Amino acid sequence: MSKALDLITRVRGVRGAMLVSAEDGLVIAEQLMEGIKGGAVAALAASLAGRLRRAMEAAGTGTSVFWHLQAEQGALLVVSGDASGGILVVAVAEPDVNIGLVRLELLRVAEAAV
Amino acid sequence: MSPHTRAVEGWTLQPLTDFVREASVRLVLVLTPAGQVLAQSGFSRAVDVMSAAALAAAIVASTGEMARQLRQQPFAALSHQGPKTGFFLATFVTDRGTLAVLAVYDLDVSSLGLVQLFYEQLAADLKAATPKGTVPKQVLAADFERELTDSLNTLFGR
């Protein structure tokens, strides 16, 4: 699992990557730079993923596959849904990270994790 | 503040109210390992508080004894998850002695990760809010029933 996270953290601008249990919001594996609170990110990302899933289902769009939250000082990128079999693949990144590349690696890790 | 959040000891109220809001838990008890309730949230009947407090105290006692027999420190937290509901029971030490928190949450609203995350904040807030230099009141067997009735009246706003 640690090797799988290497795929994500080797992308320039990625500050950390985690595998998170979508059901209970606990960290399964993590590679994080100092200062990132892994447990908090995992719990809040899983909570958000659950609410997004319900919103998407209510909207009739099916489950979400990838979401990206952009903030002033960074970004949170998550692959969820069927692709990851109940596991969220999460990346914490710099604001100017190459989103497309991170997304690709997140999807690869999600496939490998199932 | 939730209308169902009440405290026997006022200093527990704000931390508990914050915890209920942030962790989205359905029921919470803050109690001593002996089962004396300091605050509750979400309970609507006194008998439920009494039962939950007694059961939580029993779990704290039995897991504490298991830890002792294994020559370990007492377990920090216990989590049990069913198909729709989970519960979380943990103890921490304050200037007033050990306190326990029992939280019950619905899995479609909250999660173990969220409860653990905000429990840490709750424990820190309660430690900080604990009145300094006061000795916890000892409840004697002779006063137990009156103390219990007084506590339940406070917890249910009677």
Side-chain angles (χ1 to χ4, degrees), chain A residues 23-26 39-40 43-44 47 51 54, chain B residues 24 81 108-109 111-114 116-118:
Chain A
E23 190 182 359
D24 53 25
L26 299 178
L44 296 166
S47 172
R51 284 158 207 264
R54 286 197 291 277
Chain B
S24 301
Q81 204 158 293
D108 57 351
V109 177
S111 67
L112 177 58
L114 269 189
Q116 279 186 346
L117 175 65
F118 289 111

Side-chain angles (χ1 to χ4, degrees), chain A residues 19-25 28 79-89 114:
Chain A
L19 299 180
V20 175
S21 163
E23 190 182 359
D24 53 25
I28 297 168
V79 161
S80 58
D82 297 337
S84 52
I87 295 173
L88 303 178
V89 190
V114 175

Side-chain angles (χ1 to χ4, degrees), chain B residues 34-149:
Chain B
Q36 192 177 358
V37 178
L38 273 58
Q40 69 94 357
S41 179
F43 288 88
S44 56
R45 298 191 314 162
V47 67
D48 295 335
V49 168
M50 289 162 61
S51 305
L55 292 168
I59 294 169
V60 170
S62 56
T63 55
E65 179 58 19
M66 281 173 65
R68 195 186 67 79
Q69 291 198 8
L70 293 169
R71 295 188 175 83
Q72 300 291 315
Q73 292 293 312
F75 298 106
L78 171 74
S79 165
H80 183 87
Q81 204 158 293
K84 291 183 178 175
T85 304
F87 82 68
F88 175 83
L89 177 65
T91 58
F92 59 98
V93 179
T94 72
D95 289 347
R96 296 274 295 263
T98 301
L99 294 181
V101 172
L102 172 70
V104 179
Y105 56 97
D106 293 324
L107 297 180
D108 57 351
V109 177
S110 189
S111 67
L112 177 58
L114 269 189
V115 172
Q116 279 186 346
L117 175 65
F118 289 111
Y119 161 75
E120 286 171 18
Q121 186 62 50
L122 171 66
D125 289 348
L126 286 174
K127 282 180 190 177
T130 306
K132 303 289 183 268
T134 56
V135 180
K137 190 168 64 174
Q138 296 297 316
V139 179
L140 302 174
D143 299 332
F144 179 79
E145 192 168 340
R146 183 176 51 77
E147 290 281 345
L148 178 63
T149 304

